[in-house]
Structures are given as structure tokens and as C-alpha cells.
């Protein structure tokens, strides 16, 4: 089974600072990768996803992530954060190829809480 | 717009009660998931289903069961609620095809007293 590790539990930044949130996964095969965001009081929504092709993926609201296969990493970045980016961010992984019913499992990390100070 | 609807936003139940959490999706998705979300622990998968009447255990299935009698509906059952099952429960759905994202409901905050 796969697993996801997010290195930072809580990150505090000032507005306009650059952001990088770490995500590493553990799985022996090809994967699909996701970043989700949960704004206070709201449901989880997709920020961006990687399935194949260009390892640099662009998402909504100026976020991007880079898939580095050799490092099993999928770090989330944003050049300049805003107060409205205050939220909890979750990295998730699912196997890309079918190898039984367990392939449909979508596994999340523990999340990183981002607080942006105006 | 994809909609995943959970029947209750807030529930308070007593220890030992049988609790049903309902989830309905309107996008003809094959996969449906139940997670619980706790501070510092992220989202932990309880059960998922990839087709009607099919279910698979996730990472923390103990104390829970599920039912998928219709494609659009996935129920989570707490056979005998305990205080350590107080949590936020999230339902999600996705297409079975590999290249897809999961869509989430608003969550049910369950308190067991």
C-alpha cells in the first residue's frame, strides 16, 4: 500500500513570501499525485494534479508543483503568498495502474497548515 | 457541477448507538470513499467502494462498516458508537478511470457523548 509524508505541520509566512511545502510518497509503481486545499470552514478542493508528462504542473491560484520521480517527491510552490492562501494543504497519491481493487485507494498525507500574516 | 452531499453537517450521538452517515453523489462515479479527519492526523481512509456492493477496507476500518446498494449512495455505519469515533467524516467520489480527481462533500462532524 502507498503512503504520503508531509514534512511540515504548520508553516507561518508573511504576505509576499515564497512558499514551498514538501510531500514525499512511498509506492513501488507509477502514481497519480494531487494537492488539495481546505480553506477554513470549507470542503476540500483540488489545487492541482499530476498524471503523466511534464513534471512541472500548474494549478489554480498561482500554485505549481514539481514531480521528481527519483526523489518520490511532489512539492507544492507559490512565488508570493497572499493572506487568502491561509488554509490546510494536503498531498495525496493513488496508483496509476490497475493491480487489483486496492489500486483505487486514494491516500492522503497528514496535511500542512499554512498561516499567512498580512 | 459535481455534487457530493452528506446527509448531516452535525450529529450528536450517545455511546453505544448505531450511527448511519449517508453520502450521495450525482456524477455517476464508480469510486466512493469514507475518510475521517482529525487534527494532526490528516485524512485517514476508513473504507472505499469501487462498484455497487463492492467494498475494500482502508487504513482504519475497525469499528466501522459500509453499504453500497446503489451506485450513487455510500453509507458509513458505526455499529456501536464510541467516544473515540468523535471526528469529522468526509465522503468523496471519483471515476474509476485512472486519470481523475476525487470530489468531496462538506463533511459530517460527529460527536459521541
Amino acid at each position: 500500500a502507498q503512503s504520503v509524508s508531509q514534512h511540515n505541520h504548520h508553516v507561518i509566512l508573511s504576505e509576499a513570501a515564497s512558499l514551498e511545502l514538501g510531500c514525499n510518497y512511498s509506492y513501488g509503481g507509477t502514481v497519480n499525485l494531487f494537492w488539495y486545499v481546505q480553506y477554513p470552514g470549507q470542503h476540500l478542493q483540488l489545487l492541482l494534479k499530476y498524471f503523466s508528462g511534464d513534471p512541472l504542473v500548474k494549478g489554480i491560484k498561482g500554485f505549481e508543483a514539481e514531480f521528481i520521480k527519483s526523489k518520490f517527491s511532489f512539492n507544492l510552490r507559490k512565488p508570493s503568498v497572499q493572506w487568502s492562501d491561509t488554509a490546510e494543504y494536503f498531498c495525496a497519491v493513488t496508483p496509476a495502474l490497475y493491480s487489483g481493487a486496492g489500486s483505487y485507494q486514494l491516500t492522503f498525507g497528514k496535511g500542512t497548515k499554512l498561516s499567512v500574516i498580512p | 457541477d459535481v455534487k457530493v452531499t452528506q446527509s448531516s453537517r452535525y450529529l450528536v450521538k450517545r455511546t453505544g448507538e448505531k450511527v448511519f452517515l449517508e453520502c450521495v453523489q450525482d456524477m455517476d462515479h464508480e469510486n466512493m470513499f469514507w475518510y475521517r479527519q482529525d487534527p494532526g492526523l490528516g485524512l485517514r481512509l476508513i473504507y472505499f467502494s469501487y462498484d455497487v456492493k463492492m467494498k475494500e477496507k482502508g487504513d482504519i476500518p475497525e469499528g466501522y462498516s459500509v453499504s453500497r446498494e446503489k451506485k450513487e449512495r455510500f453509507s458509513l455505519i458505526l455499529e456501536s458508537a464510541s467516544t473515540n469515533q468523535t471526528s469529522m467524516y468526509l465522503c468523496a467520489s471519483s471515476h474509476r478511470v485512472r486519470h481523475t480527481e476525487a470530489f468531496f462533500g462538506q463533511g459530517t462532524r460527529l460527536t459521541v457523548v
Side-chain angles (χ1 to χ4, degrees):
Chain A
Q2 65 269 27
S3 65
V4 177
S5 175
Q6 292 184 241
H7 315 299
N8 310 101
H9 178 60
H10 192 185
V11 173
I12 302 172
L13 295 173
S14 298
E15 272 192 320
S18 64
L19 169 72
E20 182 158 3
L21 301 182
C23 171
N24 286 90
Y25 69 92
S26 172
Y27 184 70
T30 308
V31 294
N32 294 333
L33 293 155
F34 308 84
W35 276 98
Y36 282 82
V37 60
Q38 188 175 36
Y39 298 104
Q42 296 189 27
H43 64 280
L44 269 88
Q45 52 190 288
L46 184 72
L47 262 185
L48 48 78
K49 58 191 176 187
Y50 172 80
F51 294 141
S52 63
D54 189 343
L56 185 61
V57 179
K58 295 195 184 300
I60 60 171
K61 305 188 181 188
F63 286 91
E64 65 179 32
E66 185 175 13
F67 171 50
I68 303 179
K69 190 175 179 180
S70 60
K71 295 185 178 180
F72 297 88
S73 71
F74 190 55
N75 292 354
L76 182 70
R77 300 194 292 246
K78 186 171 185 180
S80 175
V81 295
Q82 301 171 319
W83 177 79
S84 57
D85 293 324
T86 294
E88 192 158 15
Y89 293 81
F90 294 92
C91 182
V93 64
T94 189
L97 301 175
Y98 180 76
S99 62
S103 307
Y104 303 125
Q105 181 164 338
L106 177 62
T107 302
F108 284 80
K110 292 185 177 181
T112 297
K113 197 167 289 189
L114 173 65
S115 299
V116 180
I117 302 167
Chain B
D1 250 7
V2 174
K3 253 207 174 128
V4 179
T5 304
Q6 295 182 230
S7 52
S8 305
R9 288 296 304 274
Y10 301 95
L11 272 180
V12 180
K13 296 292 181 180
R14 295 196 178 277
T15 302
E17 274 193 79
K18 191 168 186 176
V19 181
F20 293 86
L21 302 183
E22 307 286 344
C23 176
V24 177
Q25 50 93 5
D26 66 359
M27 283 301 292
D28 202 35
H29 286 166
E30 295 87 0
N31 295 341
M32 294 189 76
F33 307 84
W34 274 108
Y35 294 89
R36 61 177 284 177
Q37 182 179 14
D38 300 287
L41 298 178
L43 276 74
R44 293 181 292 167
L45 183 63
I46 304 171
Y47 269 96
F48 66 100
S49 168
Y50 55 92
D51 205 343
V52 175
K53 298 192 187 294
M54 305 307 290
K55 60 185 179 186
E56 291 285 327
K57 292 180 180 178
D59 300 315
I60 52 163
E62 297 78 19
Y64 304 94
S65 62
V66 290
S67 173
R68 185 116 180 251
E69 295 298 318
K70 292 185 177 181
K71 191 175 186 180
E72 67 270 20
R73 187 179 297 270
F74 192 36
S75 303
L76 179 69
I77 303 152
L78 285 66
E79 297 291 342
S80 176
S82 64
T83 55
N84 63 13
Q85 292 178 310
T86 291
S87 187
M88 173 69 85
Y89 289 87
L90 300 179
C91 176
S93 72
S94 69
H95 276 301
R96 193 189 302 162
V97 171
R98 305 281 81 217
H99 307 292
T100 186
E101 65 185 89
F103 295 86
F104 282 82
Q106 288 277 34
T108 296
R109 184 162 295 281
L110 172 67
T111 302
V112 183
V113 298

